[in-house]
Amino acid sequence: MNKPVVLRFAPSPTGPLHIGGVRTALYNYLFAKQQKGRLILRIEDTDQNRYLEGAEAHIRESFKWLGISFDEGVEEGGPNGPYRQSERARQGIYRQYASQLVESGHAYYAFDTPEELEEMRNRLKAGGQKLVQYNYAVRPQMKNSLNMPPEEVKARLDAGEPYVIRMKMPRKEEIRFYDEVRQWVVFHSSQLDDKILLKSDGMPTYHLANVVDDYLMGISHVIRGEEWLSSTPLHVMLYRSLGWEDHIPVFVHLPLILNPDGKGKLSKRQAYKLGFPVFPINWQDPQNGELSVGFREAGYLPEALLNYLALLGWNPGTEEEVMSLDRLAELFSLEKINNSATNFDPLKLKWFNQVYLRSKDVEALLPMVKEELKKQELPLPSDEFLAGAIELLRDRVQFPAEFVTAAPYLYAAPEQYDEKTARKRWTPEAKQHIAALLEQLKMLENWDAAAIKATVDTYVETAGIRHGLILAPLRLLLTGQPKGPDMFAMAALLGKQACTARIEQAMNQLPLAA
Ligand code: GLU
């Protein structure tokens, strides 16, 4: 019988959700959905020093906005709870397994003080040691239960002396495991240190808690970032030492995400600049204190972000690019995950945003445009007008805010006119023709795009002039800009009264080109 497919996304609430984390969660989500398995959201909050208030809520809010849902978790509940490791630690779950490891000889108590550890490191460095770590070679000289009579260990423990529990990493053992992305990976235990499993505050470290929970929660596949690959041999050793060898999950380490220039891993700093999915206003760049804009705040659509991230490290093996979550889940496969690092490409992400924005219907876009108008303190036109503005600009914008910022003249008469265009196009001749055209436009009863165009065409023909002589200045007077959407459709949307008023106003105000 096949093992049920159970996945988990296991963030540490130490900061806002980073795009790398979103991609990891997404791949877990897609695979779970495809395999009709379950996805657990587990909060790995046992590192009290790095705990950040609000981060867990931020992570959850991000997933709600993204549309990634979990089958089990702190809010969802489920049979494997609690889903916060700090709560599980309070129930003594991890301590129990740490003790089991000590009893079976795979781990030991260590009583070394910070000063003694420091001294050990200095000694190794001074001796020219390459591996400065607590390991098989060092452990005989240290203050741990391997070097003490049992009575002494007991006496120290009874006296409440601070201790940690360390993994007794074997001296000579090849640790091999299969990774879906990198195939067989081999580490040699002599290179690995005796990692702390249980800390002096009684909390487990990431390694112990992660493995114990993956086992207890029946995790079948561990899909996570490549930065965890080097921890995997320890995890494999833990499975073996706890007698869970048959429960080692399938490992899938996702390739790194690189900076847009391809130089180096996507840094926190870059990521701050590029933004996170969502976050409360007080997330700041730790280096320079700058407030950063989240993807949500910048106007990215969740569907676009997910589609982009799905392809950042995976491909369907075809040319297909624009895919819904359902379609992605249908096509997703572990075999098609890239095994080399991928550059984060902001331009491609924008392209996806544009694609999704274009395909949205007016009802979905209306609230976004209204919000932007409010933000810009502009008057709110009727829904009918806004629907027209959306249709007019739909193919020209990449972000919802651009329905306003790319065409402010739709919402208010221009106060300034593009100087270069004015200098070139607002000639005495142009003015004379515009004045004559204005009279004809004023007589137009049916103010729609076709009728306005017909009036302009007839005028141009009768006067025997180039279209450009009139069209460029007309756009300038109506919008203040040299370029924009289809002018006749725009003029129709603005309405006869607004158009004639704008033309008259500019004719009075705008100085002629010399
Ligand atoms: N808590 C770890 C993190 O913050 C989980 C890593 C893993 O998936 O094993 O990413």
Side-chain angles (χ1 to χ4, degrees):
M1 202 187 79
N2 274 346
K3 240 171 110 176
V5 172
V6 186
L7 292 113
R8 78 326 190 255
F9 180 62
S12 300
T14 54
L17 188 61
H18 180 283
I19 43 165
V22 177
R23 185 190 59 169
T24 300
L26 174 64
Y27 285 21
N28 275 286
Y29 174 85
L30 292 176
F31 192 65
K33 201 170 158 94
Q34 177 187 82
Q35 300 288 317
K36 304 206 171 19
R38 281 179 301 126
L39 176 60
I40 298 176
L41 178 61
R42 185 172 76 217
I43 303 296
E44 302 209 323
D45 59 347
T46 58
D47 190 345
Q48 320 225 292
N49 296 327
R50 294 179 57 220
Y51 181 82
L52 192 72
E53 192 66 44
E56 186 188 319
H58 170 262
I59 290 168
R60 258 205 303 269
E61 194 194 335
S62 299
F63 285 125
K64 275 195 195 123
W65 176 72
L66 286 162
I68 289 187
S69 55
F70 295 87
D71 302 300
E72 295 178 34
V74 174
E75 271 192 352
E76 294 76 7
N80 294 296
Y83 294 92
R84 259 188 218 110
Q85 287 186 331
S86 56
E87 287 170 38
R88 300 172 70 75
R90 256 175 261 131
Q91 296 184 350
I93 295 178
Y94 310 112
R95 175 177 293 279
Q96 170 198 335
Y97 291 106
S99 306
Q100 182 186 322
L101 286 166
V102 174
E103 268 153 45
S104 62
H106 294 100
Y108 57 89
Y109 296 105
F111 300 95
D112 313 280
T113 63
E115 295 74 37
E116 285 162 342
L117 291 170
E118 179 67 24
E119 203 180 292
M120 175 266 285
R121 280 186 221 108
N122 291 338
R123 197 173 63 236
L124 292 179
K125 270 185 226 155
Q129 278 286 346
K130 275 200 216 91
L131 277 180
V132 178
Q133 56 188 22
Y134 204 122
N135 61 10
Y136 69 90
V138 167
R139 84 172 71 103
Q141 297 131 41
M142 302 301 289
K143 225 196 279 163
N144 57 52
S145 57
L146 301 173
N147 309 322
M148 289 171 191
E151 311 78 61
E152 185 183 341
V153 176
K154 187 170 182 305
R156 283 176 186 265
L157 293 178
D158 289 348
E161 200 174 299
Y163 67 90
V164 299
I165 292 183
R166 284 184 183 270
M167 182 75 177
K168 189 176 166 198
M169 193 48 85
R171 177 174 187 166
K172 278 191 201 161
E173 202 164 313
E174 214 172 59
I175 309 169
R176 277 161 71 84
F177 57 88
Y178 189 78
D179 179 272
E180 282 293 322
V181 178
R182 344 206 110 228
Q183 270 88 55
W184 284 103
V185 183
V186 184
F187 281 83
H188 203 278
S189 66
S190 61
Q191 301 300 303
L192 305 173
D193 62 338
D194 289 358
K195 279 264 178 318
I196 295 179
L197 302 175
L198 199 77
K199 294 179 283 188
S200 55
D201 63 2
M203 282 293 204
T205 55
Y206 152 73
H207 304 289
L208 179 67
N210 188 268
V211 166
V212 165
D213 284 346
D214 281 352
Y215 168 74
L216 292 177
M217 295 181 178
I219 301 300
S220 60
H221 296 72
V222 166
I223 304 181
R224 62 184 171 196
E226 194 185 273
E227 64 271 29
W228 302 104
L229 187 70
S230 57
S231 298
T232 309
L234 169 62
H235 298 179
V236 169
M237 285 305 289
L238 279 167
Y239 277 96
R240 286 190 199 160
S241 312
L242 287 159
W244 301 336
E245 180 126 31
D246 293 344
H247 298 269
I248 296 181
V250 175
F251 290 109
V252 185
H253 287 95
L254 304 178
L256 290 179
I257 301 176
L258 301 179
N259 282 322
D261 63 7
K263 292 193 194 113
K265 184 178 161 195
L266 185 66
S267 60
K268 276 258 162 60
R269 200 183 167 74
Q270 275 280 352
Y272 265 94
K273 262 202 233 142
L274 296 165
F276 298 95
V278 235
F279 47 96
I281 35 170
N282 60 348
W283 294 112
Q284 290 188 332
D285 184 326
Q287 315 246 348
N288 59 20
E290 264 172 38
L291 283 178
S292 172
V293 189
F295 282 112
R296 183 180 69 177
E297 286 74 15
Y300 284 96
L301 302 171
E303 312 89 290
L305 188 57
L306 291 180
N307 195 157
Y308 172 69
L309 288 178
L311 294 170
L312 191 65
W314 169 84
N315 69 80
T318 63
E319 295 295 298
E320 199 171 338
E321 275 196 305
V322 179
M323 289 168 273
S324 66
L325 264 189
D326 284 344
R327 179 73 180 144
L328 286 166
E330 198 181 309
L331 297 176
F332 190 75
S333 71
L334 300 178
E335 299 83 62
K336 291 228 157 55
I337 293 175
N338 303 346
N339 57 12
S340 56
T342 330
N343 294 9
F344 184 82
D345 180 355
L347 291 182
K348 187 78 193 191
L349 172 59
K350 278 189 190 157
W351 178 82
F352 273 106
N353 215 48
Q354 182 168 30
V355 168
Y356 279 92
L357 203 55
R358 260 184 210 173
S359 67
K360 280 217 178 292
D361 53 26
V362 169
E363 281 69 48
L365 292 169
L366 269 180
M368 302 185 198
V369 179
K370 285 184 185 171
E371 200 184 301
E372 188 60 30
L373 285 166
K374 227 186 273 165
K375 225 199 259 166
Q376 307 255 350
E377 296 178 1
L378 284 164
L380 205 62
S382 67
D383 280 6
E384 197 191 338
F385 180 92
L386 288 179
I390 287 170
E391 289 312 341
L392 192 63
L393 299 170
R394 186 188 278 285
D395 290 341
R396 311 176 66 88
V397 302
Q398 290 186 312
F399 296 98
E402 287 174 355
F403 282 112
V404 178
T405 57
Y409 46 79
L410 290 183
Y411 311 96
E415 283 169 6
Q416 279 164 1
Y417 300 89
D418 182 69
E419 255 178 56
K420 206 170 138 206
T421 314
R423 232 181 298 127
K424 208 160 135 209
R425 305 290 196 163
W426 191 228
T427 59
E429 195 190 359
K431 184 169 183 178
Q432 186 198 326
H433 286 300
I434 296 273
L437 175 67
L438 179 62
E439 291 318 307
Q440 299 193 6
L441 289 174
K442 276 186 180 164
M443 287 187 311
L444 197 63
E445 276 176 22
N446 211 1
W447 190 262
D448 62 29
I452 301 168
K453 181 170 186 310
T455 309
V456 171
D457 285 349
T458 312
Y459 181 87
V460 165
E461 252 168 62
T462 319
I465 54 172
R466 286 174 298 112
H467 264 88
L469 187 63
I470 268 195
L471 292 186
L474 192 55
R475 180 184 293 283
L476 181 71
L477 302 197
L478 290 176
T479 69
Q481 312 263 330
K483 277 196 256 148
D486 178 73
M487 193 171 56
F488 302 114
M490 181 189 65
L493 178 69
L494 286 172
K496 183 173 175 178
Q497 215 251 324
C499 287
T500 52
R502 285 184 188 194
I503 296 172
E504 276 168 354
Q505 152 109 359
M507 295 236 293
N508 293 333
Q509 251 187 22
L510 188 61
L512 282 173

